[in-house]
Amino acid sequence: LLDSGEAPVPSILALAKMAKLGISVSGLRGDDVPPSVAVLESPSPAAFFEAHVLPNRPAVLRNTLDSVDFPPLRDFPDADFLRQRCGQRR
């Protein structure tokens, strides 16, 4: 759109909103696609958000959930627990 010299107003507004959210035009074109996917060990929420969510970069997260901070890991060790609790529901 911008290369032709003409750009509809909604397109300009959309690009401005994406820039405000931290989404770059080069990211939309795929210019900055990483050659591989990062594997992160227990990243902080802020670091993960800034480095991967905002620039729309994929990542594999490891050791991010444990049974202390994420009770479903403790409460649902297998499907039998769920069947006992809600098996009668369909």
Side-chain angles (χ1 to χ4, degrees):
L1 291 173
L2 298 177
D3 294 335
S4 67
E6 296 181 26
V9 173
S11 297
I12 298 296
L13 293 175
L15 287 172
K17 186 164 189 158
M18 287 187 289
K20 186 176 180 181
L21 293 172
I23 302 169
S24 67
V25 174
S26 64
L28 294 174
R29 284 189 201 129
D31 295 342
D32 59 353
V33 174
S36 63
V37 176
V39 177
L40 307 174
E41 291 283 335
S42 303
S44 72
F48 173 69
F49 190 79
E50 186 174 323
H52 295 278
V53 174
L54 285 178
N56 197 26
R57 290 199 173 111
V60 174
L61 304 178
R62 295 205 170 141
N63 298 319
T64 56
L65 299 175
D66 60 25
S67 60
V68 173
D69 295 327
F70 192 66
L73 289 177
R74 179 191 63 235
D75 297 339
F76 308 136
D78 56 43
D80 289 333
F81 177 83
L82 291 176
R83 282 190 199 100
Q84 292 171 359
R85 300 288 296 216
C86 359
Q88 72 280 6
R89 299 178 195 165
R90 296 252 182 231

